[in-house]
Amino acid sequence: MATPDTRTQILDAAEHLFAEHGYRGTSVRAITKLAGANLAAVGYHFGSKAELMASVARRVIEPINAAQCAGLDQLLARTPDPPVGELVEAFAGPLFDEMRAGDEGGARTSRLIVTILSDPAEEARSWTGPAEDSVRERYLAAFARALPGLSPQELRFRMRGILAVTAVDRLEVHQQPSPGCASPVAGEAARRWAITFLTAAMSAPPTRT
């Protein structure tokens, strides 16, 4: 097996450390030490720590976005107005696929997505670009057709909830349960439960203001 190049080693190390310690809790020195690279390598390959964060996030998110786009394309090829449950499955299913139980890569992805959702550092959230925006807007439009009574603001809130619920569930799968607590379900059952729950949450009546 070929040895990973320096850029890949830095990405692997940064993904591990950002997921464990957050953006501000991870230094460039710690990343290069784990990667076995010199300090100048981050500047050479990425330009800055912020750009390294962006590259790490995109490497994790792009396969999920691609699968989400493919799933939506399949639904829209069948009908211009897919039902809520099918939209939820097309949107959330790739998250389960990329955060597989019993897989260290899935564990890192889970931790990193939770970091992206919760890290107070602006750099952890400002990496998105046109590709990521396009996926979100396409799903927002499809959900808006299926749920015409929801305001755009509440619809966006509920979509963020899909990401948060799925990422936290997958994160728990990779952690050791506390004594006396049941282990979270890791297999297909968890996926089905999540789709059922999230479909109900997305389909709930609009909140009265």
Side-chain angles (χ1 to χ4, degrees):
M1 181 180 296
T3 301
D5 59 25
T6 299
R7 186 178 190 279
T8 300
Q9 289 176 319
I10 292 172
L11 282 169
D12 290 344
E15 181 179 329
H16 174 82
L17 293 173
F18 285 145
E20 291 290 338
H21 305 295
Y23 180 81
R24 292 175 182 159
T26 300
S27 68
V28 172
R29 185 176 296 277
I31 293 168
T32 53
K33 181 179 179 180
L34 184 60
N38 60 55
L39 281 171
V42 169
Y44 176 78
H45 289 284
F46 301 97
S48 67
K49 179 183 169 184
E51 284 301 316
L52 174 56
M53 177 73 214
S55 296
V56 167
R58 290 192 187 105
R59 187 175 70 158
V60 167
I61 298 299
E62 282 176 356
I64 295 173
N65 284 170
Q68 288 172 328
C69 277
L72 184 56
D73 287 342
Q74 290 177 359
L75 293 180
L76 294 176
R78 194 168 70 242
T79 172
D81 297 308
V84 174
E86 292 184 4
L87 288 170
V88 169
E89 186 158 12
F91 187 73
L95 293 164
F96 278 87
D97 294 338
E98 291 296 326
M99 294 187 280
R100 298 175 299 278
D103 179 85
E104 178 55 31
R108 285 198 308 272
T109 297
S110 304
R111 290 192 292 267
L112 187 68
I113 289 177
V114 170
T115 296
I116 291 169
L117 290 171
S118 62
D119 197 312
E122 179 65 23
E123 293 86 349
R125 302 185 305 278
S126 61
W127 56 271
T128 57
E132 292 77 24
D133 293 343
S134 174
V135 175
R136 183 179 63 251
E137 293 304 319
R138 290 187 67 203
Y139 271 94
L140 279 168
F143 275 119
R145 292 194 299 274
L147 299 164
L150 287 182
S151 69
Q153 295 82 2
E154 186 164 9
L155 183 56
R156 288 177 183 273
F157 174 85
R158 294 186 185 189
M159 280 191 63
R160 289 197 301 272
I162 293 177
L163 294 172
V165 167
T166 307
V168 170
D169 172 74
R170 295 295 85 194
L171 185 63
E172 286 192 352
V173 165
H174 298 291
Q175 294 175 334
Q176 292 295 323
S178 301
C181 293
S183 299
V185 175
E188 183 60 26
R191 182 184 184 129
R192 294 197 305 271
W193 293 348
I195 299 304
T196 299
F197 170 76
L198 292 168
T199 298
M202 289 295 292
S203 304
T207 302
R208 293 182 179 179
T209 56

